[in-house]
Amino acid sequence: MARAEANWERLVRAALRGDRMGGVYGVPASGIAGNVPSSLGNNTHIDEVLRAADEIQDEDPTVARILCEHAYALAQNLDPNSEGRGVLQFKTGLMSVIRQKLAKREGGAIDRSQDIAKLQEFYKLYRERHKVDELCDDEMKLRESGVFSGNLGELERKTLKRKKVLATLKVLWSVIEDITKEISPEDAANLISEEMKKVMQKDAARTEDVVAYNIIPLDSLSTTNLIVTFPEVRAAISSLQYHRDLPRLPNTISVPDARNSDMLDLLHCVFGFQKDNVSNQREHIVHLLANEQSRLGKLSGSEPKIDEGAVHVVFSKSLDNYIKWCNYLPLRPVWNNIESLTKEKKLLYVCLYYLIWGEAANVRFLPEGLCYIFHHLARELEVIMQKQTAEPAGSCISNDGVSFLDQVIYPLYEIVAAEAGNNDNGRAAHSAWRNYDDFNEFFWSEKCFQLGWPWKLSNPFFSKPNRKEQGLISRNHHYGKTSFVEHRTFLHLYHSFHRLWMFLLLMFQGLTIIAFNNGNFDTNTVLELLSLGPTYIIMEFIESVLDILMMYGAYSTSRGSAITRVIWRFCWFTASSLVICYLYIKALQDGVQSAPFKIYVVVISAYAGFQIIISLLMSVPCCHGFTNACYSWSFVRLAKWMHQEHNYVGRGLHERPLDYMKYVAFWLVIFAAKFSFTYFLQIKPLVKPTRLIISFKGLQYQWHDFVSKNNHNAITILALWAPVATIYLLDIHVFYTIMSAIVGFLLGARDRLGEIRSVEAVHRFFEKFPEVFMDKLHVAVPKRKQLLSSGQQAELNKLDASRFAPFWNEIVKNLREEDYISNTELDLLLMPKNIGGLPIVQWPLFLLASKVFLAKDIAVDCNDPQDELWLRISKDEYMQYAVEECFHSIKYILSSILDKEGHLWVQRIFDGIQESISKNNIQSDIHFSKLPNVIAKLVAVAGILKETESADMKKGAVNAIQDLYEVVHHEVLFVDLSGNIDDWSQINRARAEGRLFNNLKWPNEPGLKDMIKRLHSLLTIKESAANVPKNLEASRRLQFFTNSLFMQMPLARPVSEMLSFSVFTPYYSETVLYSIAELQKKNEDGISTLFYLQKIYPDEWKNFLTRINRDENAADTELFSSANDILELRLWASYRGQTLARTVRGMMYYRKALMLQSYLERMHSEDLESAFDMAGLADTHFEYSPEARAQADLKFTYVVTCQIYGVQKGEGKPEAADIALLMQRNEALRIAYIDVVESVKNGKPSTEYYSKLVKADIHGKDKEIYSVKLPGNPKLGEGKPENQNHAVIFTRGNAVQTIDMNQDNYFEEALKMRNLLEEFSQNHGKFRPSILGVREHVFTGSVSSLASFMSNQETSFVTLGQRVLSNPLKVRMHYGHPDVFDRIFHITRGGISKASRIINISEDIFAGFNSTLRQGNITHHEYIQVLFFFNL
């Protein structure tokens, strides 16, 4: 038995140690500490205890055993009968390593005092070993050194170590506290001294920043997250605090010591919202307020107060849909007058709305249903506000206490789920079950108030469908569709597009009549054209009949006005068709002079005039405004009602007059071209053949018996006209495509798309990039304006280059990290910081490579005067820059390293050269044929100086400079020395004494060292870099980025003032990271994935091997000897496939870009000169800056909603470990998932669902942030929208970019995100933008010919087509997932997608429909792009 126990213990400990070691191949393994069942309610604390036990196992196994025992006790208390899923297995595994617990089960006794003493003793030793006080002091000193400190990397390491040590100490202290409760207070006081207790409490207070939080630590103070020090955040937090107008909280409500009670605590008490929902929405609202305040300006003072304007913006955006809903019904809002609302009251309503929204689960797809709930809860709140002490709301009181979820949301969810469960997986007829829209449309009429408050569950609205034995659906009290029923029928081909059918048929009929009358408009032609009247009215009659048929199934629940309108239209068009057809037939019989003809003309004219007037009033913007103003007139209301049913959505869909004119002009051109083509090339040429065929008499056909006689050869004529009619119906798309291509090309040319489309163009225009970058992507710099106004162009160019360099260099470094360029190309592409003493702009080496040697050859071969020589060199601007830089660099370097006479010699030499240039004597004073010798000596000097200082190197440098002296004086320079005879005498005397260059100062300063290395490169690189970068993808990216700098885009605001945004990626079970097995697995052709990638990306594979310090000819098996290399290999391959890892890396570039921008802006704003001198630090240290990280986190959030991540963890799937690895590598990444907890309650199986948000903790493990209970299984409709809906509550900001996991991003594109977000504030039409469309690039174009075609098709047609749909047509919808949504607009109107099963199978397009119908505006922008992967 003892041996078995020992084996169990070794097995479990091995698992724990594997967990600590990080698992195999860089994938974190999950031991017992990582597999605490989610059914244990307090599993987070148990996991922390076990993790601490694993951490100290090697230091003190006894203490580790005590911690394991305590974890077991916690699990036993939470689930004593092991009813939860996985609890029994967990306890069994844990019990095997706890011998003392086994002894207790067998009747043995445990001395707790010994455990306490042992824990206390170990606490002291652990604290001393890790020097906790010294560690905290060192961290504080580094933190106080400021943002410009070069020790940011050391600060990061100190902070991480301090967090880990204090996290372990916190667990030890919590275990000691729990164990002391099991003994008497007197014994506990004797075991733990007051001094030791104070030390432990002090250490516990230092661990406040290891408490779980998402972005803003509200429930605990933090010394590492500086986001809480921002004035706007502090003001937002204080604005929510309790005030005197609120009723007192009951004593049962506890508030963390780190904060004061606030409005959300009151709402939590009154309505019973879940604790984590309250915490989540508290941060959400603080985040919204802080970001709105930041856009209004910085706050000052020690206790900043939120601005009234910021509160009003958040209030008006959040409750805009509620206000419109009240106005539509009509219904008075819960407030009497919005102008009289105080700031505190507005915030209270905002808090209430978001708490409702955050816990609504699937009911979030019913935005007007949420308005109904908010309206009643707010009224209840008004009553409770009048009381002295807060008390629970009557609508939320249940048998188990106060629960908003159980009493308000669950009844709605239950009926929605019941309907969804009877849709036969979407195969049932749509008329047989209610979807999300049906439920929501019920709240578009005053009938919804029949549901009462609290819910009247006896109302037919809540009746559940029942299945009959035959599979049909029935109800005890039938409650059908609301106002629309979608029937599966081919009649939709006519019904949905009846206006187009009518237009095309009437035009074809009219053109045919004119053609058969030879184009003459005589009386006969007019009479025949009047036949259009019966045609039109008959088609309208058919449409009215289809309206009645299509609405079958919704008559019992639709509004009376809607039913009346359908029946009225049917009666009207029935009578009209009979009257008009009768009059026209009588007119044909009696002639044009008859009374029936005159009556017919009057009726048709009146009807046509009326229809034209109504169309103008409803369509033309200026007329539409007139009808709105006259809506109180009964005639106007009747006309609008006849024209279109009045619903909550779809109202006011009209644009500005200019946009309307552009739309009309676009289609007029298309119709003019189409109908001209139809008339002259289709109809008119068939008139004569048709008449000829009709005139044939007595023709004998072999099939004559199958057709009637005397039919004028109708079958032949039908065969003749059928192709024409078919082409007529289809060619409108051809003309639209042509027109769209022309307009799209002109718009692209106007926007300067494609101006830079080659590497040569990047080289040619590079000197313009700093200026346009500063104009578009950089915030305004006061010094730049001064230089611009004073005309100091040289200083301005250098300033622009110094600001542009850090961003360009970071772009290039990311290309290297992604293995698109080699180390050599990296050195060539990097741009000098331009912060040194040189009076010129230093350009990247790839522009200047080999230019010095070309200039040298020109100078050696040229016998022309100085002006001609310089003119020949200056024809190539970069050759001129290379020569000037070499001249100034040589002077600066030699002047910096030489002292006294040596420095004087440098001054005299260069003064002489400059004097010779000024006198135009350079050809006679310098022997250009000897320039190669000078270059050789300079190369020798620079080659030595760029090395590390040593005695031998210093001696060699002195000798090299002496050789340079000899060449200059004896072979090259013939300058008159008589002007400075004293100086030259001093120089010659020093040389004679051998001390001219002896006082050499070795260049150890980084800036000077970089200048020397650059000079050495300029003087040694003889090959042209005209094709750098060589990689096609790298060159394409640089071309697009640099081209976009010349395009029109909003100006960038500082990071602190930009709009905040989230990125949202849905994930199910796709590949996260390729495993080694997947990479080595061969297909039927014997080709492995890794081999395939190596062959299609040969240069990137070579760059990858160089980056990990492997030989480029190394075999694949050599990489498997190192765990780090294996992880890098997996990442390299995954970044070239359709994986979640690639998407996460791309989206996290947003944070990296914001950190760099924020870091540089902070430096420039706090100390301009100091920042200018230290800008070089940004290249290395900006990612470690606490201020930059905090600012980026306030503006950017990334949530990946991994729906089954909990199941994957439970089953030990590799996807779960890979997702955990992604969280470790990206600290700002958040994973949302649905946790399914199975347990037994009251002897019955119970399943509960939770929406959870986790991040990686300091140990690299999952740390639960929020856990919000759901009313049931959230997947009632389409999987992807439901996956998004459950996690959307964890997003933040003003905007959200929806990204699928087959998309990627670039760092250089991320720099333009804040410009794109400013489009929400730009004028794009009558309505403010609600969705910003973004250009896509297919990055799989190199995989195959099909992929290349798809890539070109995406660029040529899809992007061009969306460009035209956006402008001038203004009808672009949402077609994919790089688009950026106005987050507040959409989450208050049903979300970013629709989820009804099968009906909303393409959730993208329905999101666009919903946005447009609710008066949104969808735009398209092409100066920024996102990558897209076609799965071929």
Side-chain angles (χ1 to χ4, degrees), residues 410-660:
Y410 183 75
L412 263 181
Y413 168 84
E414 191 177 26
I415 182 59
V416 172
E419 293 280 1
N422 282 276
N423 64 21
D424 193 20
N425 199 27
R427 290 187 291 269
H430 297 322
S431 58
W433 60 284
R434 288 180 287 174
N435 56 51
Y436 283 119
D437 287 333
D438 294 319
F439 283 102
N440 186 54
E441 288 171 18
F442 179 80
F443 295 94
W444 289 358
S445 68
E446 294 180 341
K447 189 187 299 184
C448 67
F449 285 90
Q450 296 174 3
L451 299 179
W453 195 258
W455 298 120
K456 292 181 181 179
L457 300 182
S458 59
N459 190 284
F461 177 84
F462 292 104
S463 65
K464 297 180 183 178
N466 300 314
R467 281 190 179 274
K468 292 183 179 179
E469 293 181 0
Q470 294 83 0
L472 300 176
I473 297 174
S474 65
R475 302 168 194 275
N476 297 329
H477 303 284
H478 180 74
Y479 205 97
K481 309 292 280 188
T482 303
S483 62
F484 172 77
V485 183
E486 182 176 342
H487 295 278
R488 292 188 177 102
T489 171
F490 285 104
L491 293 176
H492 279 297
L493 290 175
Y494 180 84
H495 182 258
S496 299
F497 306 100
H498 70 279
R499 291 186 179 89
L500 181 61
W501 286 107
M502 292 169 60
F503 177 68
L504 291 177
L505 184 59
L506 291 173
M507 287 299 299
F508 188 83
Q509 180 181 344
L511 292 174
T512 303
I513 291 172
I514 294 173
F516 273 91
N517 284 278
N518 300 319
N520 300 322
F521 282 90
D522 51 18
T523 303
N524 186 54
T525 303
V526 173
L527 181 63
E528 292 180 7
L529 285 175
L530 288 175
S531 65
L532 295 175
T535 304
Y536 171 80
I537 205 68
I538 290 173
M539 296 186 76
E540 285 283 15
F541 168 74
I542 295 173
E543 169 63 17
S544 67
V545 173
L546 291 178
D547 282 341
I548 293 177
L549 296 177
M550 293 298 183
M551 200 172 176
Y552 175 76
Y555 287 108
S556 62
T557 55
S558 293
R559 289 183 301 173
S561 60
I563 299 173
T564 303
R565 179 177 179 274
V566 171
I567 297 175
W568 169 254
R569 281 174 56 85
F570 172 75
C571 297
W572 169 259
F573 287 118
T574 300
S576 300
S577 59
L578 292 174
V579 170
I580 290 178
C581 289
Y582 171 78
L583 289 175
Y584 183 70
I585 293 172
K586 288 294 292 180
L588 289 178
Q589 293 175 349
D590 300 345
V592 295
Q593 301 299 327
S594 63
F597 177 78
K598 295 178 181 178
I599 296 174
Y600 175 78
V601 171
V602 171
V603 170
I604 288 295
S605 300
Y607 186 84
F610 178 78
Q611 286 293 330
I612 292 174
I613 293 173
I614 292 298
S615 298
L616 289 175
L617 291 176
M618 301 302 170
S619 302
V620 178
C622 55
C623 299
H624 192 92
F626 172 75
T627 57
N628 288 338
C630 302
Y631 189 71
S632 58
W633 299 356
S634 57
F635 170 76
V636 173
R637 287 202 304 274
L638 176 63
K640 295 187 73 171
W641 175 73
M642 282 291 295
H643 184 264
Q644 185 177 11
E645 173 61 15
H646 190 64
N647 289 317
Y648 179 69
V649 299
R651 297 172 294 139
L653 299 185
H654 57 280
E655 297 290 341
R656 297 177 304 185
L658 179 60
D659 294 325
Y660 182 77

Side-chain angles (χ1 to χ4, degrees), residues 665-680 735:
F666 181 89
W667 285 108
L668 283 177
V669 173
I670 292 177
F671 289 142
K674 172 189 168 50
F675 293 128
S676 297
F677 175 82
T678 299
Y679 180 77
F680 290 106
F735 286 100

Side-chain angles (χ1 to χ4, degrees), residues 715-736:
I715 299 298
T716 305
I717 295 173
L718 178 64
L720 179 67
W721 281 83
V724 173
T726 303
I727 294 174
Y728 172 79
L729 295 176
L730 298 177
D731 65 357
I732 188 171
H733 187 266
V734 175
F735 286 100
Y736 170 79

Side-chain angles (χ1 to χ4, degrees), residues 9 33 642 776 885 941 1199 1387:
E9 183 170 352
M642 282 291 295
K776 302 290 178 61
E885 181 176 344
V941 173
V1199 177
I1387 66 175

Side-chain angles (χ1 to χ4, degrees), residues 202-215:
K202 178 182 178 183
D203 290 341
R206 289 171 169 173
T207 62
E208 73 283 345
D209 53 0
V210 300
V211 176
Y213 66 89
N214 184 21
I215 300 172

Side-chain angles (χ1 to χ4, degrees), residues 242 246-256 261-272 381 384-385 387-393 402:
Y242 231 75
L246 298 177
R248 292 193 306 271
L249 286 174
N251 297 329
T252 55
I253 301 297
S254 61
V255 177
S261 56
D262 58 19
M263 298 177 183
L264 288 96
D265 292 318
L266 171 67
L267 298 174
H268 171 55
C269 167
V270 171
F271 299 109
L381 181 62
I384 296 173
M385 290 274 289
K387 301 181 180 181
Q388 294 294 325
T389 303
E391 59 184 42
V402 186

Side-chain angles (χ1 to χ4, degrees), residues 939-1203:
V939 169
V941 173
I944 296 173
L945 292 177
K946 70 185 182 72
E947 302 297 334
T948 306
E949 181 180 5
S950 67
D952 292 339
M953 283 293 177
K954 198 168 186 178
K955 183 178 179 181
V958 171
N959 294 334
I961 296 175
Q962 289 177 346
D963 293 341
L964 176 63
Y965 177 92
E966 298 295 335
V967 170
V968 169
H969 279 278
H970 298 130
E971 299 182 22
V972 178
L973 197 60
F974 302 99
V975 179
D976 184 13
L977 308 179
S978 59
N980 299 283
I981 187 118
D982 294 337
D983 292 343
W984 283 110
S985 298
Q986 184 179 349
I987 292 169
N988 291 332
R989 184 164 56 253
R991 184 177 182 278
E993 295 173 0
R995 58 181 176 80
L996 180 59
F997 305 118
N998 282 354
N999 293 329
L1000 186 142
K1001 296 180 293 185
W1002 196 262
N1004 291 317
E1005 182 187 345
L1008 183 58
K1009 183 72 75 174
D1010 291 341
M1011 187 181 295
I1012 293 171
K1013 292 178 180 178
R1014 177 176 170 83
L1015 176 63
H1016 185 267
S1017 298
L1018 282 172
L1019 298 177
T1020 54
I1021 299 177
K1022 297 182 179 181
E1023 296 181 358
S1024 173
N1027 61 342
V1028 172
K1030 298 177 183 178
N1031 183 276
L1032 294 179
E1033 177 64 10
S1035 60
R1036 187 201 64 78
R1037 283 173 55 175
L1038 292 181
Q1039 290 164 28
F1040 182 83
F1041 172 71
T1042 53
N1043 191 112
S1044 67
L1045 297 178
F1046 296 92
M1047 298 174 66
Q1048 188 66 34
M1049 67 178 77
L1051 299 180
R1053 296 184 67 170
V1055 174
S1056 60
E1057 299 177 12
M1058 67 175 282
L1059 287 173
S1060 56
F1061 72 105
S1062 296
V1063 175
F1064 200 33
T1065 300
Y1067 167 85
Y1068 189 70
S1069 61
E1070 298 87 346
T1071 302
V1072 180
L1073 272 175
Y1074 289 133
S1075 66
I1076 292 298
E1078 289 174 320
L1079 292 177
Q1080 291 182 305
K1081 183 179 179 180
K1082 296 182 179 180
N1083 61 11
E1084 62 273 10
D1085 298 322
I1087 303 298
S1088 67
T1089 302
L1090 181 59
F1091 179 83
Y1092 178 69
L1093 291 174
Q1094 290 170 348
K1095 295 308 175 185
I1096 64 174
Y1097 303 116
D1099 54 337
E1100 296 172 29
W1101 175 251
K1102 184 188 296 183
N1103 296 336
F1104 165 70
L1105 292 175
T1106 303
R1107 179 166 58 83
I1108 63 173
N1109 299 318
R1110 293 281 184 173
D1111 185 80
E1112 64 181 50
N1113 297 317
D1116 297 345
T1117 54
E1118 294 182 26
L1119 301 179
F1120 301 155
S1121 60
S1122 169
N1124 289 333
D1125 287 352
I1126 288 178
L1127 178 59
E1128 289 295 332
L1129 175 62
R1130 294 180 61 204
L1131 291 170
W1132 181 86
S1134 301
Y1135 291 156
R1136 281 148 186 82
Q1138 184 179 345
T1139 62
L1140 181 62
R1142 177 170 189 163
T1143 302
V1144 169
R1145 181 197 64 172
M1147 297 308 117
M1148 292 309 295
Y1149 279 141
Y1150 283 128
R1151 184 171 186 261
K1152 190 175 185 180
L1154 291 175
M1155 284 193 292
L1156 177 59
Q1157 291 168 328
S1158 175
Y1159 183 81
L1160 293 175
E1161 289 170 9
R1162 190 176 181 86
M1163 289 198 306
H1164 299 155
S1165 63
E1166 291 191 0
D1167 187 349
L1168 186 60
E1169 297 302 324
S1170 174
F1172 188 84
D1173 293 338
M1174 296 189 65
L1177 289 177
D1179 293 67
T1180 307
H1181 298 292
F1182 73 91
E1183 292 183 89
Y1184 295 120
S1185 168
E1187 292 84 356
R1189 291 162 71 168
Q1191 191 67 73
D1193 289 339
L1194 186 62
K1195 298 298 179 180
F1196 167 74
T1197 308
Y1198 187 27
V1199 177
V1200 179
T1201 169
C1202 304
Q1203 183 175 340

